[in-house]
Amino acid sequence: PPPPPAWLAGCGWSEGAAAGSKTNGRAPGQRRARGPSVSKSAEAAGEAGKRGGRCTGSALAAATSLLACSHPDSAARTVVFCGGPSVGGAGAIVDSDAGSTVRSHKELEAGSARATAAAEHYDALGRAAAARGHGVDVVAASLEEVGLYEMKALLGRTGGAALQGESFQDSHLLDSLRRLYARAPDGSVGMGFGAQFELTAGRDCEAIEHIGGGGGAAGEPEGLSVRECGGARSFAWAGGSLSPHTCVGLTLTPAKKGGGASVMPQHQLLQLSARYSTAGGRRVRRVTTLRLPRLTQSYDAKSLLPALDQQAVAALLVRQAVAKANSGASAPEMLRWIDRLLIKTMKTLCAYSKGDPGSVALPPAAGIVPGFVFHLRRSPVLRTSGASPDRTTFFRLLASTLDTFSSLLLVQPTLRGFRVGSGGSAPLPLEPTSVTPDRLLLLDSFTQLVVCKGGALALAARSPGSPPAEEVQQLTDAVAAEAAALGAARFPAPLLIECEQGSSKARYLAQKVNPDVPLSAFLQGLYRAIVE
């Protein structure tokens, strides 16, 4: 194969095969205007008024087939570099005519034969690659859709990563590639291949459901096998490729009453085992064992509160919402489902007097759940308005693989305020009142780090050499350094945005602090529903 480009060679990656295409496009999440807006300069490989002749699905099929023949039982990874939509061959998502528009959320909900055919093609490639233990990554750098929506099953089954940017030269995209293909201490790529997972539980565990991470699409894990031995039941499945950021999510379904063991033990034992090969050929096994107290079958739900990890509950709720979306649920259907689930849960756990919303008392062990659901409802994980199918897919793939803290941050960003001479920062609510002229703000939404100067600070900074300007510059440098430290070890690497209050880039902050419905109004509606 040809040598990798200079910027990728610096990542220390050389294994696998890459299939890609030339650059073109539309900003992630931005709607494409109708009409022949793709010029010949943007599509150097095509004629005027035509898109470049990309056949991404066919190129990926060739790459996976080559690796299946050359590395059938060893570590391998395919990297797809997409600079625009595929217009020909299997996996095409749009016509080559630049005047034709790429599919939208509305068209996908109505049913698109072309999108369905492309998704089936990529799903078949994902199954073939996962059977060999090979991974597939997609790097999209385009101002136009590239077909990430159709590739979501491919990425889920192989444990691959999805990266997005406007250009292959974007600093956050390059940093993400370096972190993804970083070398392990032995000099090989720090990844796992051909992973096999096994969960051992009691016989009263009827089934498991996979909800992100560790290979397989949402639902039943890839190649699931079940066996029983003594009083235990084991579930084994293929996990595809692994990265240092891989996080597996599972839900366990208990057996129906009357099934399972006749005498229930006082404790539940769970053991999760992961086996995989490193890029250097070494076999690794990691085992986690838990011993948890078991409640009697006639228990009060409130007795679960002392052992409830509400942050883990919130992270699993995100994955369950993504799983429902991948199964075909529309955004309004997901919102109704999550609202009903929240009301039912809070009715069970809260103390209240019927008919009196003011009497509702949230238990401290579940106090963050309503606020988290409020932010989940308006997050890019669920909301599709104003976002393209590829952009929505990117967030849903990311949400289904992140660990607990990162999932919380993706859905509910943190906002901190800094003032000149204060010597520290203060946490602020995600409300418009937090944006003031004398305050410098740092917004962390996991994929973006926004440093925004208030209007008064920006005005003072425009007088170079004056004492106020020096103080503002020192504060700005300190906050920018803190933002860089927050994203130093994060994957994917966040986009750092520096702006001033009222500027065009301040929209990244405004969209997070200007909800359609205030949190207080949402909670009042929740309390009324609880006491009905």
Side-chain angles (χ1 to χ4, degrees):
W7 53 266
L8 183 58
C11 303
W13 173 81
S14 59
E15 290 125 328
S21 51
K22 296 182 175 62
T23 59
N24 172 54
R26 170 166 58 95
Q30 178 183 348
R31 295 182 180 274
R32 180 184 183 276
R34 294 184 178 273
S37 60
V38 180
S39 65
K40 188 173 182 179
S41 60
E43 291 282 25
E47 301 174 359
K50 297 288 185 180
R51 292 185 172 91
R54 299 183 184 85
C55 301
T56 308
S58 301
L60 181 58
T64 53
S65 298
L66 285 172
L67 287 181
C69 297
S70 60
H71 296 75
D73 301 308
S74 59
R77 206 166 181 105
T78 303
V79 189
V80 186
F81 293 93
C82 292
S86 176
V87 300
I93 64 171
V94 70
D95 294 331
S96 60
D97 183 7
S100 59
T101 58
V102 185
R103 75 282 182 274
S104 63
H105 279 293
K106 186 176 180 179
E107 293 169 345
L108 292 173
E109 290 176 3
S112 171
R114 171 175 276 169
T116 301
E120 291 175 352
H121 170 73
Y122 288 119
D123 188 21
L125 294 180
R127 291 179 183 274
R132 302 283 185 182
H134 296 170
V136 179
D137 301 319
V138 177
V139 182
S142 172
L143 299 176
E144 197 171 17
E145 298 280 272
V146 301
L148 192 61
Y149 171 85
E150 288 77 6
M151 300 179 193
K152 59 186 177 182
L154 164 73
L155 293 165
R157 295 189 186 283
T158 63
L163 301 175
Q164 271 194 331
E166 296 182 2
S167 166
F168 285 115
Q169 301 301 324
D170 286 354
S171 59
H172 71 285
L173 187 60
L174 297 178
D175 288 340
S176 298
L177 285 167
R178 293 187 184 99
R179 294 171 192 181
L180 180 61
Y181 300 114
R183 291 192 179 271
D186 62 358
S188 62
V189 178
M191 299 177 179
F193 298 87
Q196 295 288 328
F197 287 94
E198 183 174 359
L199 175 69
T200 302
R203 293 185 63 185
D204 57 320
C205 180
E206 181 74 18
I208 65 172
E209 180 184 2
H210 178 266
I211 50 174
E220 184 175 288
E222 190 76 16
L224 178 67
S225 63
V226 183
R227 60 184 177 86
E228 295 185 8
C229 181
R233 177 171 292 166
S234 295
F235 303 86
W237 69 96
S241 59
L242 304 178
S243 298
H245 63 275
T246 299
C247 183
V248 181
L250 299 169
T251 58
L252 281 62
T253 303
K256 296 180 181 179
K257 293 183 178 180
S262 57
V263 180
M264 303 296 289
Q266 293 184 348
H267 293 84
Q268 172 70 62
L269 294 177
L270 294 174
Q271 186 176 81
L272 180 63
S273 170
R275 294 181 293 115
Y276 59 90
S277 298
T278 66
R282 186 168 59 94
R283 296 291 296 173
V284 178
R285 178 190 290 268
R286 301 182 65 179
V287 179
T288 301
T289 305
L290 297 175
R291 183 176 182 266
L292 306 174
R294 183 193 295 271
L295 297 177
T296 61
Q297 294 196 8
S298 57
Y299 66 88
D300 181 10
K302 293 181 180 179
S303 61
L304 295 172
L305 287 173
L308 181 67
D309 185 342
Q310 56 182 330
Q311 293 183 338
V313 169
L316 287 172
L317 185 60
V318 175
R319 292 188 179 220
Q320 288 179 327
V322 172
K324 290 187 72 70
N326 290 338
S327 64
S330 64
E333 290 172 342
M334 288 189 293
L335 292 178
R336 288 193 294 268
W337 167 77
I338 201 171
D339 287 344
R340 289 193 296 265
L341 181 61
L342 176 64
I343 294 171
K344 179 180 178 181
T345 303
M346 291 296 106
K347 270 181 174 286
T348 304
L349 299 180
C350 290
Y352 62 91
S353 299
K354 190 170 181 62
D356 183 9
S359 66
V360 176
L362 294 175
I368 72 168
V369 174
F372 180 83
V373 171
F374 168 77
H375 290 283
L376 176 60
R377 296 176 86 259
R378 58 188 301 267
S379 72
V381 177
L382 292 190
R383 177 171 289 188
T384 59
S385 59
S388 67
D390 276 12
R391 190 60 174 169
T392 301
T393 300
F394 169 77
F395 279 107
R396 290 176 178 174
L397 287 170
L398 186 60
S400 61
T401 58
L402 293 176
D403 58 30
T404 299
F405 176 76
S406 299
S407 297
L408 297 177
L409 195 57
L410 181 69
V411 171
Q412 185 173 351
T414 61
L415 181 65
R416 287 190 294 151
F418 301 78
R419 280 193 168 95
V420 174
S422 64
S425 64
L428 299 172
L430 291 169
E431 297 177 355
T433 54
S434 299
V435 184
T436 59
D438 62 336
R439 185 179 281 157
L440 193 148
L441 299 176
L442 173 58
L443 176 76
D444 185 358
S445 62
F446 189 80
T447 58
Q448 292 178 343
L449 289 163
V450 182
V451 178
C452 184
K453 266 188 242 177
L457 297 180
L459 184 62
R462 294 193 185 99
S463 301
S466 64
E470 294 177 358
E471 292 178 346
V472 171
Q473 188 59 47
Q474 290 175 0
L475 179 62
T476 303
D477 293 342
V479 176
E482 185 171 340
L486 286 174
R490 189 173 296 176
F491 181 84
L495 174 63
L496 179 61
I497 301 171
E498 297 186 19
C499 60
E500 298 178 358
Q501 183 181 1
S503 64
S504 62
K505 288 187 177 181
R507 68 186 184 276
Y508 295 106
L509 174 65
Q511 67 180 354
K512 298 296 183 182
V513 300
N514 290 311
D516 299 331
V517 177
L519 175 59
S520 58
F522 175 80
L523 293 177
Q524 291 173 5
L526 173 63
Y527 296 159
R528 287 195 297 268
I530 290 175
V531 301
E532 287 180 354

